[in-house]
Amino acid sequence: PELIVTANISDHDYRANVASVCIDRVTGAQRGARCNQWLPRHRSLAGCADPTVMEAAATKVWVRLTRAALGTHIQTRAPGLEVDLQVFEPVDHESMGVLVPWSDRLFQYTRKDNCLQVQGVVSLDGVERSVERGEAYAIHDHGRGRWPYDTRWNWAAGSGVSRGRQIGLQFGGRWTVGTPSTENALRIDGRLHKIGDELEWRYDPGDWMQPWSICGDRVDLRFTPEIHHHHVFDRWVVRSRGDQCFGRFDGEIVSDEGDRVPVEGVFGLAEEVHRRW
């Protein structure tokens, strides 16, 4: 409840990235590290259900993701941060997988998942904090594809309980426009409800801490940021800029059956990212 923890392994052909960061929601303090590796030795990353261990290390950070029957075991080490968390994925748990085709050569397969329970330990500056199952959630983002050189996207996701109902939110924007696919789905009490339409995003790039809105025929949500996380890597030809906010979703969503479900205080993230790679 007090921490945001990330673990990332990605391979962009001529650049690989390894990262693990922890943000204290109370103080805003950050620990961890991100590291780019240029012209890495390629090792194929495992698929979603592959039991192969995915492991990567750089100068200041080490990340291991292990798939097993229970779900995914996350282990990381970075300056001021050690993570040992088990993410539970029940056999009947539903997730959303989408293939987005830009052309005959360019595509992205993405699997988004939320409302995954977590248990384990996070050590921040040598102080261990236990995470009990049922008090924290994980969001899983797995992707594989061949991207255009210049891409912009929005992503928003959230997990929580609202008025006794489990709510999972998953929204994407910009990068799917002009394709037959969308990255939008709702989770209501464990069941996924796919949204095939693009949604309208409104926010102020001049002030990321102002409220955001994400709206459509079945979505009317207000996102109120409490933390803004900015990162930029710019080498002219290769550029990565992201503005990611963490906060709370409030509003209303509509199920496949037309039921209107209130969303109150569901914690999550919303971001805008620009990549040239």
Side-chain angles (χ1 to χ4, degrees):
E2 302 88 10
L3 303 176
I4 300 161
V5 178
T6 68
N8 176 68
I9 300 175
S10 58
D11 186 340
H12 309 140
D13 192 26
Y14 53 83
R15 177 179 76 103
N17 182 264
V18 188
S20 183
V21 175
C22 180
I23 303 173
D24 190 311
R25 290 177 57 190
V26 178
T27 67
Q30 297 185 26
R31 295 292 183 269
R34 298 177 184 81
C35 185
N36 288 314
Q37 296 175 307
W38 299 99
L39 301 177
R41 183 181 65 179
H42 291 293
R43 291 179 296 177
S44 178
L45 295 180
C48 288
D50 195 322
T52 302
V53 174
M54 288 188 282
E55 183 176 2
T59 305
K60 295 183 178 181
V61 59
W62 168 81
V63 176
R64 176 185 285 168
L65 308 174
T66 306
R67 293 285 297 173
L70 291 176
T72 302
H73 186 200
I74 300 174
Q75 298 166 282
T76 79
R77 287 195 303 268
L81 176 65
E82 290 194 25
V83 174
D84 190 341
L85 295 171
Q86 176 65 49
V87 178
F88 297 96
E89 185 177 330
V91 175
D92 58 352
H93 185 82
E94 297 183 353
S95 66
M96 183 193 70
V98 177
L99 179 65
V100 178
W102 289 294
S103 70
D104 291 341
R105 292 185 65 253
L106 304 178
F107 72 95
Q108 171 73 355
Y109 167 77
T110 181
R111 179 193 176 197
K112 294 294 199 301
D113 208 349
N114 52 35
C115 290
L116 297 166
Q117 293 190 351
V118 187
Q119 180 176 297
V121 175
V122 177
S123 179
L124 196 61
D125 290 331
V127 179
E128 287 193 354
R129 304 197 194 190
S130 296
V131 181
E132 301 299 329
R133 186 172 181 176
E135 70 175 8
Y137 287 110
I139 292 171
H140 183 209
D141 177 8
H142 169 91
R144 178 165 290 173
R146 185 181 293 274
W147 283 69
Y149 167 64
D150 195 310
T151 310
R152 298 174 187 265
W153 73 73
N154 290 119
W155 179 35
S159 302
V161 176
S162 176
R163 297 192 185 182
R165 307 190 71 174
Q166 186 191 70
I167 302 296
L169 307 172
Q170 162 54 43
F171 309 122
R174 304 179 90 172
W175 72 287
T176 57
V177 173
T179 76
S181 306
T182 70
E183 198 189 16
N184 303 320
L186 308 170
R187 181 187 305 279
I188 303 173
D189 295 329
R191 180 171 168 249
L192 279 187
H193 301 251
K194 183 70 177 72
I195 297 177
D197 298 325
E198 295 285 351
L199 301 175
E200 181 181 5
W201 294 63
R202 293 183 180 179
Y203 53 92
D204 183 0
D207 186 353
W208 299 101
M209 293 297 288
Q210 289 296 313
W212 301 39
S213 70
I214 303 175
C215 297
D217 289 343
R218 295 171 53 190
V219 175
D220 185 4
L221 292 173
R222 179 185 177 93
F223 174 74
T224 305
E226 65 178 45
I227 293 173
H228 171 223
H229 180 56
H230 173 76
H231 68 85
V232 62
F233 175 86
D234 196 345
R235 294 296 184 270
W236 190 56
V237 175
V238 178
R239 185 176 193 271
S240 175
R241 191 272 302 167
D243 285 279
Q244 186 177 63
C245 294
F246 296 91
R248 297 185 176 278
F249 291 91
D250 295 277
E252 186 179 73
I253 55 178
V254 181
S255 71
D256 287 343
E257 296 77 23
D259 296 332
R260 296 187 175 275
V261 180
V263 176
E264 297 176 351
V266 171
F267 190 77
L269 65 93
E271 69 177 17
E272 179 190 274
V273 176
H274 180 206
R275 295 277 170 85
R276 289 203 304 254
W277 52 23

